[in-house]
Amino acid sequence: MDRLLVLRLRAQGVSAEAWLNGLPLARTPRGGGDCCVPVHEFVIAGDNRLELVVDPPSVVGAAGGAASAAAYGDGAARADASLLLPRVGQVASDQTARVLGQVAWASPDGEVYRPPVRLVQELDIPVRFPRWRWLDAPPVADAEGLRGAAATYLQDVAIALSRGDAEHLIVAAKLRFEELALAYQRPLADDLARWRARVQLLHAQKALRPELPTPESLQLRPVADGRLLECLAADGLPALRSARPDGSRVYWPMRLAAVERRFYPLR
């Protein structure tokens, strides 16, 4: 693989979130920032949907979070989300990479705008991937009704990780591991070996004491047009997390498909 599809998000003076095909993949903090993530496993053949959300809700709840107050633009706040195709090893920037799509926003000087502001661009990406399984997952009609069952599922994963057990998630997320290896053209065995080594290292460092999500603390955010449930805590970060001895945290993002009350981590 000599090229890597990446999503770059930049913001100044505001927080922003970048979505691709209905999935939130990058977010900057309040005041702005710059981040870049690979996105092969979220790109689909044909039409793709790139979205930029300015000042998204900071806390995700069943109703999507409280609305922000209207604000006057000062002409200085801005944000943009770009889908880039740089060569592997090169910096992912507008100058050194092919720009496949971009959505940009600037605060209207002296005019009122009401966050969150959402901008969308449809684009056809000239890179072909297989049809990912999450595209065929059934939409979830009642995410709130699955919170208890999803919390129990995540608790089982957390308990297995606390024991240094890498195989539990390998079995549970078999389809996810397979598709990630396919998306980045890597041998599946190599990806699984890296995952096992990481779990063993974190366990040896005493960094595998995951918090146990509860039905009260867990937020299920419907993404991918309702086909996946993103598992978040009240702070909007992944619910499955563990504290390192130095106080930093390890996060495991989980986006679950729900089929007859059974859960499948597909992304």
Side-chain angles (χ1 to χ4, degrees):
M1 178 182 293
D2 63 345
R3 287 186 178 271
L4 184 68
L5 270 165
V6 298
L7 179 62
R8 182 174 183 181
L9 175 64
R10 296 178 294 187
Q12 174 184 310
V14 291
S15 62
E17 198 168 50
W19 294 54
L20 184 61
N21 294 322
L23 290 130
L25 302 181
R27 184 167 182 152
T28 64
R30 186 179 300 276
D34 190 331
C35 55
C36 192
V37 293
V39 293
H40 284 217
E41 68 270 35
F42 304 103
V43 173
I44 60 179
D47 292 335
N48 288 259
R49 186 168 78 252
L50 177 64
E51 300 177 68
L52 172 68
V53 183
V54 178
D55 273 339
S58 58
V59 177
V60 179
S68 301
Y72 281 96
D74 60 6
R78 62 189 66 252
D80 66 81
S82 304
L83 196 62
L84 305 174
L85 187 62
R87 291 193 177 277
V88 173
Q90 289 187 338
V91 176
S93 71
D94 300 356
Q95 291 73 40
T96 61
R98 181 178 176 185
V99 180
L100 301 181
Q102 186 177 62
V103 184
W105 173 88
S107 62
D109 192 6
E111 297 181 17
V112 176
Y113 69 94
R114 188 181 299 278
V117 177
R118 184 179 291 267
L119 302 172
V120 182
Q121 182 188 25
E122 301 287 341
L123 56 142
D124 183 42
I125 299 177
V127 179
R128 302 306 177 196
F129 290 102
R131 183 172 177 83
W132 306 122
R133 289 180 174 92
W134 60 265
L135 292 166
D136 297 318
V140 177
D142 180 19
E144 189 67 13
L146 293 175
R147 273 211 291 173
T152 299
Y153 178 86
L154 293 176
Q155 288 172 9
D156 290 342
V157 174
I159 291 170
L161 287 173
S162 72
R163 296 170 178 161
D165 178 4
E167 303 306 314
H168 182 94
L169 197 54
I170 286 176
V171 173
K174 176 177 181 291
L175 299 179
R176 177 182 181 276
F177 279 110
E178 289 177 352
E179 290 194 332
L180 283 175
L182 183 60
Y184 295 99
Q185 299 177 26
R186 301 184 303 236
L188 175 59
D190 290 356
D191 278 6
L192 297 181
R194 279 190 289 270
W195 167 249
R196 292 185 178 103
R198 176 164 173 75
V199 171
Q200 291 169 5
L201 176 62
L202 289 171
H203 191 256
Q205 294 174 337
K206 300 188 184 303
L208 275 182
R209 296 179 180 177
E211 299 174 16
L212 297 179
T214 66
E216 295 73 29
S217 67
L218 179 63
Q219 306 289 340
L220 294 178
R221 181 188 199 184
V223 297
D225 300 320
R227 299 182 184 280
L228 297 178
L229 298 173
E230 188 174 33
C231 302
L232 304 173
D235 58 6
L237 296 175
L240 195 58
R241 58 181 72 184
S242 181
R244 297 177 184 269
D246 63 4
S248 63
R249 291 182 179 272
V250 183
Y251 293 96
W252 294 277
M254 296 285 279
R255 303 179 184 94
L256 305 175
V259 182
E260 297 180 350
R261 298 187 70 85
R262 295 187 64 181
F263 299 101
Y264 301 88
L266 295 186
R267 284 296 178 269

